[in-house]
Amino acid sequence: MRWTHRPRGCPVNGDGWLDWLRREGRIVVVGASLAGLRAAETLREKGFAGSLTMIGDEPHEPYDRPPLSKQVLLGVAAADRTALPRRRALDATWRLGVPATGLDMAARRVRLADGDEVPYDRLLIATGVRARPWPREAEAELDGVFVLRTRDDGAALARRLAEGPKRVFVIGAGFTGSEIASACRERGLAVTVAERGAAPLVGALGGVVGAVAADLQRGHGVDLRCGVMVTALEGDASGRVRAAHLSDGSTVETDVVVVSLGATRNTEWLAGSGLGAGPRGIACDAGCRAFDIRGIVTDDVFVAGDVARSPHPLFGYQFLSLEHWGNAVSQARTAAHNMLSESTDRLPHIWVPAFWSSQFGVNIKSVGVPSMGTEIVVSQGSLDDRRFIGVYGYQGRVIGAVAFDHARWLPFYQELIETTAPFPPAFPSVGRRSDGQRPMDADFPDPSVPTHGPTVTLSGYSPADRRMTFTPAH
């Protein structure tokens, strides 16, 4: 039988069950952010007329996160004006500000922090990620120490920047840390950035491109410190941060510290549930169905967004976790479609990773999985001009591309990735070529060293592998 606890009047056979689900079923979405909202809208668009419940740990309805590190920090947009546009009315029950604390797959119930339980017939998990905090709790609680992930984080940091601090100290030069530094410089604030790696963005784009990013930051007045770790944050007698101590023995006086050490996937609430969930995310198949801890795919629990890890045929069927806006939207729509479909009508989620960032006046966009590459060639433009396209190669094929102020050609490179084109690419008629550079080592850091940089994480082939140890990068 399909059901352990079958609702009254629900048929057992497949076609009749799906018809009943569309008319009278109960779908619960845990995670009221971008992926959860777009999935819910798609469910209604596909004709789902049953009960829809949206569960979110924040008190706010879904909002857009990219503006938080850009327009909000610049003071040109308010954090409470970043709500995501609605494509349609949802007719949903919203359970906001009450996080999920457990899942009973046998009884098909989600447990909430307030003690309530919400039954479901199909469940979508889109709990995303949260900012990784400073590891020393007492130092993390100093006044003036921030992270940036939520709307409340953005509002609090924007208020502090508007007060005109003497210096902002950013720990970590991944994309978010670099965007924060950019916003601070645009506001005329003194900024120091500490990065354990050899350059900004090195975990995501490698050392060749990272060197360009380093020159970009220093050219805009950032006090960039690479190859160093933060050993301690020091507070004054009133409990306000006053300095950061570095591994090279130096001390930087500062009154604002922003910890930008990457993200932690929100899976702890699933401990003991039987799902294949851990620090790497929740494993699911290409149709967004979750795996259990035995590696067996479920049929009633689906996953979408940053918390998902799913196999991708273009990248050796390794499980990928993607912290990408576009991926969250695409995967949510696929999951919603498949939740209401027979197996023969289900669709695979094979979205090619794509990411963008705006910092220090430069538009940075990437496609594919640059961090999987071992070589890079500058196919168009010039590194010296900070306007170029770098193409990444892995085992003789094009695996990714990044553009600095040169994005018009990225669809062409995406097609090369999708068709597993050979590396290095040969296309003398495409655009203006670079200065004839040959492929070089992409210079990614040792993968055994923790890095907060990649927005794409490859996590092996096992859907039941939940092992991972994080060592603080600072």
Side-chain angles (χ1 to χ4, degrees):
M1 290 182 62
R2 182 187 295 268
W3 288 92
T4 303
H5 301 283
R6 182 164 56 93
R8 184 183 300 274
C10 170
V12 176
N13 64 297
D15 290 338
W17 184 85
L18 277 175
D19 288 341
W20 174 87
L21 175 70
R22 295 188 190 100
R23 294 192 315 270
E24 305 178 43
R26 302 163 299 182
I27 292 181
V28 173
V29 178
V30 182
S33 191
L34 174 65
L37 175 63
R38 295 298 180 241
E41 291 173 336
T42 303
L43 288 168
R44 292 304 192 198
E45 289 168 2
K46 297 287 183 179
F48 176 66
S51 166
L52 180 60
T53 302
M54 306 289 293
I55 298 171
D57 61 346
E58 293 186 61
H60 315 296
E61 291 197 8
Y63 58 88
D64 206 13
R65 297 187 191 276
L68 298 179
S69 61
K70 303 175 180 69
Q71 293 94 330
V72 170
L73 293 192
L74 287 172
V76 299
D80 60 3
R81 302 299 297 271
T82 57
L84 284 165
R86 301 287 185 88
R87 300 204 314 263
R88 60 175 299 128
L90 289 184
D91 186 23
T93 299
W94 293 85
R95 303 292 299 270
L96 300 177
V98 184
T101 57
L103 172 64
D104 186 336
M105 291 177 62
R108 291 179 172 81
R109 288 178 174 270
V110 176
R111 292 190 292 272
L112 303 183
D114 62 3
D116 199 4
E117 293 188 350
V118 182
Y120 66 86
D121 299 319
R122 282 209 160 143
L123 170 68
L124 176 67
I125 301 175
T127 46
V129 301
R130 64 185 184 276
R132 195 182 301 280
W134 184 245
R136 297 186 183 90
E137 187 175 351
E139 296 175 7
E141 292 178 352
L142 289 171
D143 182 18
V145 176
F146 298 85
V147 295
L148 181 59
R149 173 66 187 176
T150 69
R151 196 181 95 174
D152 292 344
D153 293 338
L157 181 55
R159 285 194 299 269
R160 188 59 60 90
L161 297 184
E163 294 173 1
K166 294 179 180 179
R167 179 168 295 275
V168 178
F169 188 91
V170 181
I171 306 176
F175 281 107
T176 300
S178 297
E179 289 175 358
I180 293 168
S182 176
C184 289
R185 289 303 300 139
E186 193 165 340
R187 296 191 73 141
L189 301 174
V191 183
T192 296
V193 175
E195 166 57 43
R196 176 177 182 166
L201 313 182
V202 67
L205 301 176
V208 173
V209 176
V212 178
D215 289 342
L216 185 64
Q217 291 204 16
R218 291 186 174 116
H220 282 80
V222 174
D223 173 25
L224 177 63
R225 315 277 186 99
C226 295
V228 297
M229 294 180 289
V230 178
T231 57
L233 300 178
E234 179 186 344
D236 60 20
S238 65
R240 185 159 185 166
V241 68
R242 63 170 298 274
H245 298 278
L246 307 183
S247 58
D248 61 3
S250 63
T251 297
V252 178
E253 293 187 359
T254 181
D255 42 357
V256 172
V257 172
V258 187
V259 180
S260 186
L261 295 177
T264 299
R265 288 173 174 81
N266 293 317
T267 59
E268 293 88 349
W269 68 283
L270 294 167
S273 67
L275 280 186
R280 300 170 184 267
I282 306 169
C284 63
D285 69 3
C288 306
R289 297 180 300 172
F291 284 98
D292 68 16
I293 57 175
R294 302 167 297 171
I296 297 175
V297 72
T298 64
D299 202 43
D300 300 310
V301 181
F302 291 71
V303 193
D306 294 358
V307 77
R309 56 185 291 256
S310 58
H312 202 300
L314 287 176
F315 308 105
Y317 289 95
Q318 282 207 59
F319 282 86
L320 268 64
S321 301
L322 305 175
E323 296 174 38
H324 291 174
W325 197 97
N327 176 74
V329 172
S330 176
Q331 194 169 32
R333 291 173 176 167
T334 300
H337 170 87
N338 291 344
M339 291 173 83
L340 301 176
S341 301
E342 286 291 347
S343 57
T344 54
D345 297 323
R346 287 176 177 166
L347 302 173
H349 173 65
I350 52 175
W351 188 78
V352 176
F355 179 79
W356 70 276
S357 174
S358 178
Q359 50 189 267
F360 303 102
V362 173
N363 188 18
I364 303 172
K365 292 188 176 182
S366 73
V367 292
V369 186
S371 56
M372 195 174 176
T374 55
E375 295 180 283
I376 185 173
V377 63
V378 178
S379 60
Q380 296 172 255
S382 166
L383 294 174
D384 292 338
D385 295 339
R386 300 173 188 162
R387 189 172 188 272
F388 63 90
I389 287 184
V391 184
Y392 295 82
Y394 175 72
Q395 295 184 348
R397 56 161 288 201
V398 175
I399 203 75
V402 63
F404 274 49
D405 277 347
H406 219 65
R408 62 189 289 244
W409 287 108
L410 275 188
F412 171 82
Y413 292 95
Q414 180 171 329
E415 184 175 348
L416 294 184
I417 296 166
E418 293 172 340
T419 57
T420 64
F423 178 88
F427 37 82
S429 63
V430 176
R432 181 178 180 274
R433 293 297 301 272
S434 66
D435 300 328
Q437 294 190 41
R438 295 182 178 181
M440 61 190 110
D441 187 340
D443 194 22
F444 282 96
D446 184 341
S448 66
V449 177
T451 176
H452 54 273
T455 56
V456 181
T457 304
L458 287 89
S459 55
Y461 298 94
S462 171
D465 185 1
R466 295 175 292 160
R467 299 167 299 170
M468 187 171 73
T469 300
F470 175 75
T471 302
H474 291 268

